Amino acid sequence: MKNLLLCISLALIGGLLMSRLVKKIGLPAVTAYLITGLLFGPYCIGRLGLAGVGFHTPEEVSALGIISDAALGFIAFTIGNEFRLDDLKKMGRQAITVGILQAVATTFVVDVALILFHMCFPTALSLPSAITLGAIAAATAPAATLMVVRQYQADGPLTRLLLMVVAIDDAVGLILFAASFGIASALEQGGISVITVAVEPILEIVLSVLLGMVSGLLLNWSERYFHSRANRISVSVAFVLLTVGLSKIEFNAGPVHCSFSLLLVCMITGTVFCNICGTSAALMERLDRWTTPLSVLFFVLSGAALDLQILSNPAALLIGVLFIASRSAGKIFGAYGSCAMTGCDKNIRKYLGITLLPQAGVALGMTLTAASLSDGKMVRNVVLFAVLVYELVGPTLTKKALIAAGEISDQAILGKQR
């Protein structure tokens, strides 16, 4: 345990120091944390086997998953607070339309590209895996996006729509993945399960929304009994952690497997809470300060979890490049087209797709389910490579897009507001 605590503390300090270095070359702090994780991971410093220095094996990183789950819970809770009624009245229809259409467009573009690749090289990638990868491509990482927005205090129509879209993206991605994976499994096994393809993903979203609503109402009710800032922060932290824990529960109701989406549950909790609690804005500002070290650790651990061995697999690299190119095209043109349809501002149409490129935890979680496919390992390797690229490059692209849209001030770029 003492070695584990030493390793976590050194990784946290290393991430903060690295952020000072990358600031000099204009890179976002999240990129620094990911690079630090790579350096402390099993393929760099961790390989030296020094007690308390670096993560020696991938299993050591996986064992700290509770930190990542907690961080994702707070990130989703924070994003949920962006869904205030005033903003929903102005941008709700646009956010829902764009969130759905850009995700569907991305899945379609990646499916077409990978199915054509399968037709040319059937032994390199199976048809079920190609279809599954198309659905995984729809997922966007909200954590990296939120970190960039926070660091540079971005604000404006693009930023507000972006935070809504990345939240909606999770729900849409769940449905697309469940349907696509159901079809992929049917192609391998010779039969389609309506329960797996249609019932379970919809039920997961419904259960997640209900749990999030109840949690948000209970949090608001609990806050009324505490008046000091410290106690209110403690109650909020306890409820987010409770919500994260409840969202990990899985059970069967007859033939139907029931589960929850951690991101969706915590997001709905934040949405309900911010719209019924008059002091939620001030509380969230203080909560953000409390959770900053947790967010840093989340990205350091994400970097440590990236598998550099994938770089030695030529087939995975080739398919990965095709996956990245087609997914990027789907996100950029899908966002542009859906924004144009809903009458979004020129800057939003031009830059939203670029800000949706980061990809991480949700996509990797989907690969665990895809592991049951005959070449599920290839699916995971391709997504691992894509995550490695997107997590290192995506935050910088998001920053540049927000600057180009005029939603990050010169003062924030120079670091005077940090």
Side-chain angles (χ1 to χ4, degrees), residues 111-127 130 322:
D111 272 343
V112 170
L114 294 182
I115 289 173
L116 288 175
F117 180 87
H118 161 75
M119 294 173 66
C120 296
F121 308 98
T123 59
L125 182 71
S126 69
L127 181 59
L322 180 59

Side-chain angles (χ1 to χ4, degrees), residues 62 89 119 237 272 276 308:
S62 299
K89 289 176 182 178
M119 294 173 66
V237 170
V272 172
I276 61 177
L308 295 183

Side-chain angles (χ1 to χ4, degrees), residues 134-328:
I136 293 175
T140 299
T145 301
L146 182 61
M147 180 67 82
V148 173
V149 169
R150 279 180 173 175
Q151 180 184 352
Y152 296 102
Q153 300 182 9
D155 188 34
L158 172 59
T159 301
R160 289 191 286 273
L161 181 63
L162 168 62
L163 292 176
M164 290 184 182
V165 170
V166 295
I168 294 169
D169 203 58
D170 181 47
V172 178
L174 286 172
I175 295 176
L176 289 173
F177 177 75
S180 295
F181 183 69
I183 294 172
S185 298
L187 290 173
E188 287 200 341
Q189 300 170 10
I192 295 179
S193 170
V194 176
I195 291 177
T196 302
V197 174
V199 177
E200 290 182 355
I202 294 175
L203 184 61
E204 179 174 338
I205 291 174
V206 172
L207 290 175
S208 298
V209 170
L210 290 175
L211 178 57
M213 291 176 65
V214 172
S215 181
L217 291 170
L218 289 176
L219 173 56
N220 179 62
W221 175 77
S222 300
E223 291 282 356
R224 297 178 181 177
Y225 292 92
F226 300 93
H227 304 288
S228 71
R229 293 180 178 180
N231 284 339
R232 286 193 163 190
I233 286 292
S234 298
V235 170
S236 299
V237 170
F239 257 86
V240 174
L241 293 177
L242 174 64
T243 305
V244 170
L246 291 175
S247 69
K248 305 296 286 185
I249 294 175
E250 298 182 12
F251 59 93
N252 291 322
V256 181
H257 179 73
C258 301
S259 59
F260 301 91
S261 164
L262 183 155
L263 289 174
L264 194 55
V265 172
C266 293
M267 184 194 73
I268 295 298
T269 300
T271 300
V272 172
F273 178 66
C274 80
N275 282 292
I276 61 177
C277 178
T279 60
S280 63
L283 184 63
M284 283 305 303
E285 184 179 348
R286 294 191 291 272
L287 187 64
D288 286 345
R289 298 171 187 169
W290 186 91
T291 58
T292 296
L294 190 62
S295 297
V296 174
L297 273 178
F298 169 76
F299 286 107
V300 171
L301 291 174
S302 297
L306 296 176
D307 189 354
L308 295 183
Q309 288 184 327
I310 187 62
L311 299 177
S312 64
N313 187 337
L317 290 179
L318 177 60
I319 299 171
V321 169
L322 180 59
F323 176 85
I324 291 171
S326 55
R327 178 180 180 271
S328 299

